[in-house]
Amino acid sequence: MSSTELPGARAVSAATAPKVAAVHVADGEELGSVALPGLTLTVRSRRPARAGLPPALYVHGLGGSSQNWSALLLLLEDVVDGEAIDLPGFGDSPPPDDCNYSVTGHARAVIRFLDARGRGPVHLLANSMGGAVCTRVAAVRPDLVRTLTLVAPALPELRVQRSAVPTALLALPGVALLFSRLTENWSAEARTRGVMELCYGDPSRVTEEGLRNAVAEMERRMGLPYFWDAMARSARGIVDAYTLGGQHGLWRQAERVLAPTLLVYGRRDQLVSYRMARKAAAAFRDSRLLTLPDAGHVAMMEYPEAVAQAVRELLDEHGRS
């Protein structure tokens, strides 16, 4: 995939890109970049099974990357022409010039990417924080979104689960730095297993190869000088979005979404409570709900076949053109 460059953008990305290990690329995947003024986004894709398939865009959650969508990119390559992005400061994308990691800032990055690519309207798929981001995208730019699939979207909860509190605490000033110091002697494997315990309904489902790739990615992330800053600022952005009221509130914006919406929730999710599924189904005006009893927070990685089948049914119902 060739890069899309605009004047001045190459200097920005070169100045901010640290020297770390190469990001993992699965067989059949390609990495490219789209450079905009003050913003460079890494894009992961697979060649579609045939020409003319409708475009799709995949958006990851807090601490994730485009790698979280590798399974769905493969499973859906015969029905959509898919691309997965690394949000600013995550994966292989450098931080944005303005250091804006708010939900609105990430949503603006997605909108700018779609406008630059000229591929909309797209089938938009997102997980966790990406779900909040893409809810905002679909609400403010309905022309860019044909269907919306949200896996455990990070929408405001009145009673946050106890297991989600440490993630929320990253939003507090100084906590990320403190945590990084307290865990500086942790191995990449220990960190990775901890994340999997939190995000997976059943961590034993992770293959040895999957664990090796995840550990390698964790080692790469910890070598990035801006990793904790991106995490802390993005966590703060989620907390701030939770407190917004009026027309900018995420639940109010969910009610404004026109695109047919698939909601995916796991009953073992420790970060986004399953009890929010019913509220979400009522908020999105044209919604259908998939619940997975054994899934955690990243159902598209744990049960990709089930999620892919639900997406296929959504596309069948609303057309694939």
Side-chain angles (χ1 to χ4, degrees), residues 32-93:
S33 66
V34 171
L36 305 167
L39 182 69
T40 300
L41 299 176
T42 295
V43 187
R44 182 181 302 265
S45 65
R46 300 186 67 92
R47 292 186 181 276
R50 61 182 184 279
L53 291 177
L57 181 68
Y58 302 82
V59 182
H60 64 80
L62 180 67
S65 75
S66 59
Q67 293 185 60
N68 296 162
W69 297 102
S70 285
L72 243 58
L73 279 170
L74 175 59
L75 289 171
L76 295 175
E77 67 178 354
D78 63 321
V79 292
V80 294
D81 181 358
E83 294 181 326
I85 62 170
D86 290 330
L87 289 170
F90 292 93
D92 212 37
S93 293

Side-chain angles (χ1 to χ4, degrees), residues 62 90 101 167-168 170-177 226-238:
L62 180 67
F90 292 93
Y101 291 101
T167 302
L170 285 176
L172 297 177
V175 170
L177 178 60
Y226 51 79
F227 172 76
W228 284 112
D229 185 59
M231 286 286 290
R233 289 177 184 265
S234 292
R236 194 172 306 141
I238 296 173

Side-chain angles (χ1 to χ4, degrees), residues 15-309:
T16 58
K19 302 298 183 182
V20 295
V23 68
H24 175 73
V25 182
D27 289 344
E29 291 184 346
E30 299 177 357
L31 284 186
S33 66
V34 171
L36 305 167
L39 182 69
T40 300
L41 299 176
T42 295
V43 187
R44 182 181 302 265
S45 65
R46 300 186 67 92
R47 292 186 181 276
R50 61 182 184 279
L53 291 177
L57 181 68
Y58 302 82
V59 182
H60 64 80
L62 180 67
S65 75
S66 59
Q67 293 185 60
N68 296 162
W69 297 102
S70 285
L72 243 58
L73 279 170
L74 175 59
L75 289 171
L76 295 175
E77 67 178 354
D78 63 321
V79 292
V80 294
D81 181 358
E83 294 181 326
I85 62 170
D86 290 330
L87 289 170
F90 292 93
D92 212 37
S93 293
D97 274 8
D98 60 5
C99 291
N100 186 346
Y101 291 101
S102 67
V103 169
T104 297
H106 284 309
R108 188 177 299 121
V110 172
I111 289 170
R112 291 181 62 195
F113 172 81
L114 289 173
D115 280 339
R117 301 291 273 177
R119 281 164 50 93
V122 300
H123 296 290
L124 187 59
L125 300 89
N127 171 235
S128 191
M129 178 185 76
V133 168
C134 290
T135 294
R136 185 151 290 172
V137 171
V140 302
R141 287 293 303 274
D143 59 304
L144 293 177
V145 183
R146 181 167 179 79
T147 67
L148 181 64
T149 295
L150 303 177
V151 181
L155 299 174
E157 299 184 40
L158 292 178
R159 292 185 295 121
V160 177
Q161 295 187 100
R162 190 180 307 171
S163 53
V165 170
T167 302
L169 287 176
L170 285 176
L172 297 177
V175 170
L177 178 60
L178 174 62
F179 187 74
S180 68
R181 289 175 176 172
L182 291 175
T183 62
E184 62 183 354
N185 293 324
W186 290 15
S187 68
E189 181 172 346
R191 292 176 187 272
T192 302
R193 290 187 181 277
V195 170
M196 288 180 171
E197 287 287 342
L198 184 63
C199 292
Y200 280 72
D202 180 5
S204 68
R205 289 179 57 86
V206 180
T207 65
E208 290 187 7
E209 180 183 9
L211 178 61
R212 285 197 304 271
N213 291 338
V215 170
E217 175 60 14
M218 180 63 73
E219 290 177 336
R220 196 191 71 84
R221 288 179 187 175
M222 299 312 297
L224 298 172
Y226 51 79
F227 172 76
W228 284 112
D229 185 59
M231 286 286 290
R233 289 177 184 265
S234 292
R236 194 172 306 141
I238 296 173
V239 172
D240 289 345
Y242 275 28
T243 64
L244 284 177
Q247 64 178 346
H248 298 296
L250 285 170
W251 285 115
R252 182 70 62 85
Q253 292 197 319
E255 294 170 353
R256 291 170 51 191
V257 172
L258 301 177
T261 302
L262 168 64
L263 300 164
V264 182
Y265 283 83
R267 287 184 179 268
R268 294 187 178 182
D269 195 331
Q270 300 182 68
L271 294 172
V272 171
S273 175
Y274 170 74
R275 67 175 178 265
M276 302 306 296
R278 183 174 297 180
K279 181 174 182 178
F284 290 89
R285 65 181 71 188
D286 183 3
S287 68
R288 64 275 303 134
L289 177 63
L290 170 65
T291 59
L292 297 171
D294 297 320
H297 191 58
V298 287
M300 73 286 186
M301 300 171 70
E302 299 174 83
Y303 296 93
E305 292 84 2
V307 175
Q309 181 58 37

